[in-house]
Amino acid sequence: MRLKTFIFLVTILITTAVSAQLKSPEEFLGYKIGSQFTPHWKIVNYFNHVAANASSMMKLQQYGVTNEGRPLLLAFISSGDNINNLEQIRMNNLRLANIAKDKAAPKEENIPDIVWLSYNVHGNETSSSEAALMTIWALVDPSNTKTKNWLQNTVVIMDPCVNPDGRDRYVNWFNSVVGKNANPQLIAREHNEPWPGGRTNHYNFDLNRDWAWQTQIESRQRIKVYNEWMPQVHVDFHEQFINNPYYFAPAAQPFHEVITPWQRDFQTMIGKNHAKYFDANSWLYFTKEVFDLFYPSYGDTWPTYNGAIGMTYEQAGHSMGGSTAIKADGDTLTLFDRANHHFTTSLSTIEVSSVNNGKLVKEFRKYFNEAVSSGVGEYKSYVIRNNKKDKERIESFLDLLSKNGIQYGLGTGSGKGYSFNSGKEESFSFNNDIVISALQPRSAMVKVLFEPKSKLVDSVTYDITAWALPYAYGLEGFASREKINGSGTINKVTAENAETSYGYVIPWDGVQTAKTVGQLLQKGILLRYAESPFEVNGNKFESGAVIILKTGNNSFGNNLMPLIKKIANANNTQLFPVQTGFVDKGADFGSPKVHAFKAPRVYLLTGEGVNSNAAGEIWHFFEQQIDFPITLVNLDVIGRIKWNEVDVLIMPDGNYRFLSDKAKAEPLKNWVSKGGRLIALENAVSVLAKAEFGIKMKKGEEEDKKDDKNEKVSYEILKKFEDRERDYIPNVTPGSIYKVEMDNTHPLAYGYPNYYYTLKMDDNVYEFIKDGWNVGVIKKDNQIAGFVGSKLKEKLHDGLIFGVQQMGGGSVTYLTDNIMFRNFWENGKLMLCNAVFFVGQ
């Protein structure tokens, strides 16, 4: 009895001591959560405080840094026993998913489930990081016995701020404009943030659309750790427009067909639990609307396709919420309200996961066992041609597979399957080509990323409807219902470059080649490109091959060739030595068909009126992929540009209102006519069309002529009110793939075959250019995959997609679709390089 009393007293003393050291967010920060925004560094400090004072329950890991140098953190919270055995729990979970390297049998009963909570992926959706502070406290608070019970069989992983750069951009701006007292009127400046806003990361990328593609440093670092844990549940916390009630699972249709009955049932189960708490507080919410589970690169779909229950929660607020805001219904929404709602669903998620621990683990194991035994979907294998000419695209493609944990190998043999190029079932043979089997742990992800045509049960969807990797990467491939074996590892080929005294030739094969060429140009080296194919020394080179000669570079003396070799080796670019300018076939190096070019001075328009995501795609590409200098200029100072210092001007997607004023547009036109090279993308092209630059928008099919005397009644104007959200569907495509016929003899299409797969995301198609080059066009029946409205389908044919027009001494390049889409549409990147380095030279 005395011993029990002693143990009880010791426990009380320890709890009291911990409580005295461990502080709540309010005690630590000095203000109540929701009364003001918490900057990222204070969030980091509080999580460090908890880690230092509740180490028996929590471990903190810095898994990376952002572009601007802010730390990225993960907190692991569970019972003391689970924290002490965290590595064993992690390894056992990988065994459950059949991806552990040791291949040992997993323990399947009486083990913790893993719940991963991701907060603040969109920087200006700020309430969730505040909710993260409330949640971590509820989990470690010594007086909270309810959460301690949940943590006996659950490990919670918390990322308190996925996008610190975006969050601080928004919070710092808000704090700089808010008055002594926050103003709830939405017209007040604190509710209207300036371009580019805090939603995105440093490079204006939406990190919530980057899970599969991992183009951004934050995504790559986070998902590397995610793949080391593979949680059973993942939640992505968001905010939506100010007047909307709270949204939580179950999600809206369309659901992708790979989503299992269990994954759907659990969403409903967790939604009902959330509803219980929201109903008790008289908080409004909605489910099964707007937010679907289809596009594979969201924070709900990507985890779902990797075996988890992936969910998005959406709180009203967004960037307009400020710290207090009056909604359309007259009610006032505060930052505390928003954080409290997210806090409630955070705990509810952990609760439901804990209560259903056994079922979660059992179904998780079943999911991955079925993946390796039978695979997901009708196609059991995918074969990608390992063509030498596609080496650079293939390297990028394999890198994407590796980042997603998808297994692949090499195979030789024959088979039958769907050809991505012809769109038909064909017999094919393959020799040392890439094989991706559907019978592997990531089987669902393989199907989702490779299937030629995804099945839509509802055409009202939140994002693009087609993304098959062979199209996005411009690779030849087949989808087969046969089980085809691939084995071994694919080793990256290392360039072996020999010395030469005369010159080198570089095949124009891809983005890495463009990076090498860009770095050579920056060193002041004069380069040449061939406008037609040629053969020399037994090697065949296609149009666009870059020629580097001693001639014209005499100022480098004996340092020229070693410098070229050094840069090429650093980029793993193969150089082909030549000893003469006399070629075996084609134009000699002194021919007028061989053109010299130097480093262009490139400007990119940004700022209000420009699509920040589109500008970010180009900015990131120049800085992080080809490492070539680019000057960003805001539209409001375009009048101050010294045009004689600009060679190439890039206009990303935007509205460019200044072009509607002829006087303001005149300097741009004069610059082009004097030799400037203008590159317009997406809606920038339609703006140029309206400004009479020479390109014209194609109109839709003409309506049937009406007889004035016998005018027919049109029943199309009779619509049902309940269908108002679907009335637009026949006239749109949310993102579909079209085959574009390319003139690859033109510099804009160097490095491409005579076709290109474009991602069509609007209803714009243009008339053929009469005085210019129609480099890429779509004809009839060119749709490959994805949803296209019935009326729009009638319009999208016989039109220009890519073209070049001469204007005086300069040129305008029209890229009417987004060839850089989210920087995962790999096959479009070389076209931008062509436009920058070759077109108009």
Side-chain angles (χ1 to χ4, degrees), residues 21 37 126 176 221 271 279 299 344 351 375 431 456 471 494 520 531 548 560 606 662 671 683 700 706 731 821 824 838:
Q21 297 170 350
F37 287 113
T126 45
S176 72
Q221 293 172 127
D279 289 342
T344 300
E351 176 188 24
N431 183 16
L456 269 175
Y471 299 130
T494 302
L520 292 170
E531 71 169 65
I548 319 170
L560 177 64
T606 60
K662 289 187 177 182
W671 169 75
N683 194 59
K706 297 179 179 179
N731 300 298
F821 185 68
F824 90 84
F838 293 152

Side-chain angles (χ1 to χ4, degrees), residues 1-10:
M1 184 68 184
R2 288 180 178 177
L3 180 60
K4 289 182 179 180
T5 302
F6 175 75
I7 293 174
F8 176 76
L9 291 172
V10 169

Side-chain angles (χ1 to χ4, degrees), residues 556-574:
F556 288 90
N558 295 329
N559 296 322
L560 177 64
M561 298 305 171
L563 176 59
I564 296 169
K565 184 179 175 182
K566 179 181 177 181
I567 291 173
N569 287 343
N571 294 317
N572 197 32
T573 299
Q574 184 64 56

Side-chain angles (χ1 to χ4, degrees), residues 420 449 451-454 464-473 733-740 756-761 778 781-788 796 817 824-825:
F420 284 93
L449 292 181
E451 61 186 350
K453 297 181 180 181
S454 300
I464 63 174
T465 57
W467 50 77
L469 294 185
Y471 299 130
Y473 280 76
T733 175
S736 56
I737 298 173
Y738 273 75
K739 189 172 187 176
V740 179
Y756 170 85
Y757 296 105
T758 191
L759 185 63
K760 195 73 190 152
M761 299 180 64
I778 54 173
D781 302 321
N782 275 21
Q783 183 192 355
I784 300 297
F787 173 78
V788 181
L796 292 181
D817 287 340
F824 90 84
W825 205 261

Side-chain angles (χ1 to χ4, degrees), residues 287-329:
T287 65
K288 304 182 287 293
E289 296 181 79
V290 182
F291 304 101
D292 59 59
L293 291 174
F294 196 67
Y295 172 71
S297 202
Y298 283 121
D300 52 9
T301 51
W302 190 90
T304 298
Y305 302 152
N306 282 278
I309 314 297
M311 293 169 289
T312 288
Y313 299 163
E314 296 269 357
Q315 162 62 44
H318 209 253
S319 64
M320 292 188 70
S323 58
T324 179
I326 298 176
K327 301 189 299 176
D329 62 6

Side-chain angles (χ1 to χ4, degrees), residues 693-710:
F693 265 67
I695 191 170
K696 294 182 179 180
M697 187 86 71
K698 182 184 175 185
K699 297 179 181 179
E701 300 293 331
E702 291 185 359
E703 295 182 0
D704 292 335
K705 292 183 179 180
K706 297 179 179 179
D707 189 329
D708 291 337
K709 295 181 180 179
N710 298 296

Side-chain angles (χ1 to χ4, degrees), residues 326-345:
I326 298 176
K327 301 189 299 176
D329 62 6
D331 192 15
T332 299
L333 181 68
T334 68
L335 178 59
F336 174 76
D337 296 331
R338 292 151 57 193
N340 197 30
H341 297 162
H342 271 329
F343 167 62
T344 300
T345 54

